[in-house]
Amino acid sequence: MSKGDAEINGQVGMKFENILEEIGGFGPFQILIIVLLCTPRIVLPCHFLLNNFIAAVPPHWCDVSTLDDGGLFRSLTQQQRLTVSVPLRKDGEPKSCEMFSSPQFQILYNGSNSSAELPTIQCQSGWIYDNSTFTSTLATEWDLVCDRKSLTKTTGTIFFFGVMMGAIAFGFLCDKYGRKNTLLASYIMVIVFGFSSAFANSYVLFAVLRFLTGFALTGISINSIVLSIEWVDIGHRSFIGVIGSLAWSVGNMLLAGFALLVTDWRTLIMTVTAPLGFAVLTWWWIPESARWLLANGKVERAQFYLDKCAKFNKRPKLSAKLKLEDKNYTYLDLIKTPKMRQLTLLTGIVWYGVASTYYGISLNITGFGLNMYLTHFIYAAIEVPAKLMVYCFLNIIGRRKCQAGALLLTGVCIAINIFIPKGLWHVRAVVAILGKGLSEASFTTIFLYTTELYPTVILQNGLGYTSFMSRLGVSVAPLVLLLEDVWTLLPQIIICSVAIVSGLVALLLPETQNVRLPETIDDIEKPRLVNLYMTDTMCGI
């Protein structure tokens, strides 16, 4: 073997962390990536939590115009017509799904209490909606109320099923065709399906388009975090992961403002989708992941981006040429070997718990004595200090304890709220907001944690799988909330249990703080034996 071949083969074994150290693992190049990915990250929460507003059910009551007999009824005021036509609930508000079969004029003289035992029928001619808050929603568009009220929550479940399916597809596509190309495909698909759903003329068509929108959004979700993490060195992974995720919180807060100003559901969908047009323009400046290029044998392109990184960061170019073996990986590689199987099982459970808990809280923005816009904004705003807190604790107590602690404390907050009387709404609101912040802390941690747990060669497959488990939890969350019709406390008990169980499972994961990112499956199956030996020797073992 010649000296030149030896140098090249020596470079083959060079860890990517060493490459980053040479060209700059944190500098203007990495900051540029964060900035370029801000817009799509802002769009994500706007779509993921959009159902809170487009599927809201405003106060409504039966359309009683069919009871107009042309006589006394016509001479009554609107409020009087409502009084003689619709029975009242215990709180004094008109019932939503029932009406009298004929006007009960005696109520005007005998008082409202006399309507309690009068026979009623289901609404016969549709409903009248209170449009003071919303111009239109899915519920008012297609009368998704009374016996069809579950369909408003179902739209959320359908959307997240799309996200779940997208996780599988994009996990494969990202590892097959690269992070950058699939990111562009995601942008375009979300724009097409997002705007199309705003013009849907039937519930079924809308549900299909929302499914496809969710499918496409997954590509943005898993690519944006990976492109950020794979370009930074060990010391700044947590900083990039946490600070970059603040764009989610910004988007979440903006959603409350957009929904307050745009009260028509069709216009609101177009409003939150439009920023991706700008993201398409900025895509040209986003670099491909050099880790992925090297892992897939695309040496020349990897060299191009690494040289560009060195130039941006004002560092010298790499001193040697790169040459790596090309090998394809699939989802089966997640379960072929013992330690990868264990890692796959544990991360799947934790991701399910994190997502189910976060969205179980986020999708329940009523019942705390505040209007829904303010509740949503506060829920979003609390994420900012939660993320900053996570950044501090990730580097103090490590990823594993941070992950488990956030989930367990979230479960505790939910449990406390189960026992606090509804009359103490201000106390319930404070505890709920604290639980929301902790659930966001667990979500922020698991994104970073997962990118450090899975080896580079199957990272996107790993993220595709964990994203699938996450969206499975999210898809179930709206359906769990429907169980309050069975027993008011049942949804909270389920969400609390899931948070606690997944928090305990997180304790079984390995710690990754200040550890090199695994690049191959062998790095997982044979974890750094040299480093372990050196540590044992230094300790006199």
Side-chain angles (χ1 to χ4, degrees):
M1 181 184 294
S2 68
K3 181 179 179 182
D5 291 337
E7 287 178 352
I8 291 177
N9 288 335
Q11 190 69 15
V12 171
M14 186 177 184
K15 293 291 186 181
F16 194 79
E17 307 299 342
N18 302 121
I19 297 174
L20 280 180
E21 185 177 346
E22 188 172 336
I23 64 174
F26 183 71
F29 187 79
Q30 285 75 14
I31 298 298
L32 176 64
I33 295 174
I34 293 294
V35 172
L36 292 175
L37 293 173
C38 275
T39 299
R41 284 184 176 180
I42 287 173
V43 169
L44 286 175
C46 290
H47 271 281
F48 278 45
L49 295 170
L50 186 62
N51 223 54
N52 276 344
F53 301 101
I54 65 171
V57 181
H60 55 281
W61 52 88
C62 297
D63 182 356
V64 297
S65 59
T66 55
L67 298 180
D68 188 352
D69 59 2
L72 179 59
F73 189 86
R74 179 170 297 180
S75 65
L76 298 178
T77 64
Q78 183 60 38
Q79 183 57 47
Q80 289 175 328
R81 292 181 185 183
L82 198 60
T83 301
V84 301
S85 305
V86 180
L88 302 180
R89 301 195 306 251
K90 291 181 179 180
D91 61 1
E93 294 297 320
K95 287 189 176 181
S96 301
C97 304
E98 298 177 32
M99 61 183 286
F100 299 126
S101 57
S102 60
Q104 304 296 314
F105 297 110
Q106 71 276 13
I107 297 176
L108 294 176
Y109 306 101
N110 299 334
S112 59
N113 291 334
S114 62
S115 68
E117 298 180 359
L118 293 173
T120 61
I121 58 175
Q122 298 298 309
C123 298
Q124 301 296 300
S125 304
W127 291 262
I128 300 296
Y129 298 94
D130 180 353
N131 293 325
S132 60
T133 302
F134 300 99
T135 303
S136 70
T137 68
L138 300 180
T140 65
E141 182 83 15
W142 292 300
D143 288 333
L144 305 183
V145 294
C146 297
D147 58 342
R148 303 182 71 206
K149 68 177 183 180
S150 62
L151 292 179
T152 57
K153 289 284 195 299
T154 304
T155 55
T157 296
I158 291 171
F159 170 81
F160 285 114
F161 266 123
V163 176
M164 186 169 64
M165 294 297 104
I168 299 175
F170 280 102
F172 168 77
L173 293 173
C174 293
D175 273 341
K176 179 82 172 168
Y177 300 106
R179 284 60 160 142
K180 183 174 180 177
N181 290 334
T182 50
L183 183 63
L184 178 61
S186 297
Y187 286 170
I188 295 173
M189 289 171 67
V190 174
I191 291 172
V192 172
F193 295 133
F195 275 94
S196 296
S197 64
F199 294 95
N201 58 7
S202 71
Y203 176 82
V204 173
L205 178 58
F206 174 78
V208 170
L209 290 170
R210 282 299 285 170
F211 174 90
L212 294 172
T213 303
F215 180 93
L217 281 165
T218 309
I220 299 175
S221 178
I222 61 180
N223 269 303
S224 59
I225 185 67
V226 170
L227 276 170
S228 301
I229 296 297
E230 288 189 339
W231 271 107
V232 298
D233 56 25
I234 294 176
H236 294 93
R237 288 200 308 247
S238 58
F239 176 82
I240 290 293
V242 173
I243 299 303
S245 70
L246 286 174
W248 171 283
S249 301
V250 172
N252 211 354
M253 287 186 281
L254 285 174
L255 176 58
F258 291 150
L260 179 62
L261 297 174
V262 182
T263 57
D264 175 74
W265 71 271
R266 296 180 187 273
T267 309
L268 182 58
I269 290 179
M270 291 188 284
T271 301
V272 299
T273 305
L276 285 180
F278 176 75
V280 171
L281 298 178
T282 61
W283 171 85
W284 303 99
W285 290 277
I286 296 175
E288 179 57 275
S289 167
R291 286 182 189 269
W292 176 83
L293 291 170
L294 291 174
N296 286 270
K298 301 179 185 297
V299 180
E300 291 185 3
R301 287 188 65 203
Q303 188 81 50
F304 170 78
Y305 284 115
L306 290 170
D307 289 345
K308 181 178 285 189
C309 177
K311 182 179 179 180
F312 261 74
N313 291 340
K314 298 180 179 179
R315 294 289 190 90
K317 293 183 179 180
L318 281 175
S319 56
K321 294 292 182 181
L322 300 170
K323 179 182 177 183
L324 288 179
E325 180 183 356
D326 184 9
K327 183 180 178 181
N328 293 321
Y329 293 86
T330 67
Y331 282 109
L332 291 177
D333 291 291
L334 296 175
I335 57 173
K336 278 183 179 179
T337 52
K339 290 188 178 179
M340 279 303 304
R341 248 190 324 267
Q342 181 182 9
L343 177 64
T344 300
L345 173 65
L346 296 178
T347 53
I349 294 173
V350 175
W351 268 90
Y352 178 93
V354 168
S356 182
T357 303
Y358 177 86
Y359 284 95
I361 297 174
S362 299
L363 295 174
N364 184 21
I365 60 174
T366 58
F368 297 108
L370 305 172
N371 73 60
M372 62 190 306
Y373 302 107
L374 182 57
T375 301
H376 185 96
F377 180 82
I378 294 175
Y379 269 9
I382 194 64
E383 294 181 1
V384 176
K387 290 176 188 290
L388 298 178
M389 177 190 70
V390 163
Y391 174 63
C392 296
F393 279 99
L394 280 173
N395 294 319
I396 296 175
I397 65 175
R399 279 61 161 154
R400 178 174 56 189
K401 291 180 181 178
C402 198
Q403 184 66 68
L407 279 169
L408 292 172
L409 289 174
T410 300
V412 169
C413 288
I414 298 172
I416 291 173
N417 251 359
I418 291 175
F419 296 101
I420 297 178
K422 286 193 174 182
L424 298 175
W425 64 265
H426 50 291
V427 178
R428 286 172 55 82
V430 170
V431 175
I433 291 168
L434 178 60
K436 176 59 166 60
L438 288 165
S439 71
E440 171 56 32
S442 70
F443 224 137
T444 301
T445 303
I446 195 61
F447 262 113
L448 172 66
Y449 200 6
T450 304
T451 61
E452 296 179 341
L453 286 169
Y454 282 93
T456 301
V457 291
I458 55 169
L459 177 56
Q460 282 292 15
N461 281 325
L463 284 176
Y465 157 73
T466 54
S467 184
F468 172 86
M469 294 301 296
S470 163
R471 304 320 167 192
L472 178 61
V474 177
S475 300
V476 172
L479 302 181
V480 169
L481 295 178
L482 286 176
L483 294 176
E484 66 181 2
D485 291 338
V486 178
W487 180 27
T488 306
L489 298 179
L490 186 56
Q492 303 307 311
I493 292 174
I494 293 175
I495 295 171
C496 173
S497 302
V498 170
I500 292 174
V501 170
S502 56
L504 294 174
V505 170
L507 292 172
L508 302 176
L509 290 169
E511 179 57 68
T512 60
Q513 184 182 12
N514 296 326
V515 173
R516 288 184 185 275
L517 287 178
E519 296 181 18
T520 65
I521 292 177
D522 282 343
D523 289 339
I524 299 292
E525 298 300 322
K526 302 172 184 178
R528 307 168 187 86
L529 295 178
V530 175
N531 290 344
L532 179 61
Y533 173 78
M534 291 176 62
T535 302
D536 290 346
T537 304
M538 292 172 63
C539 294
I541 297 177

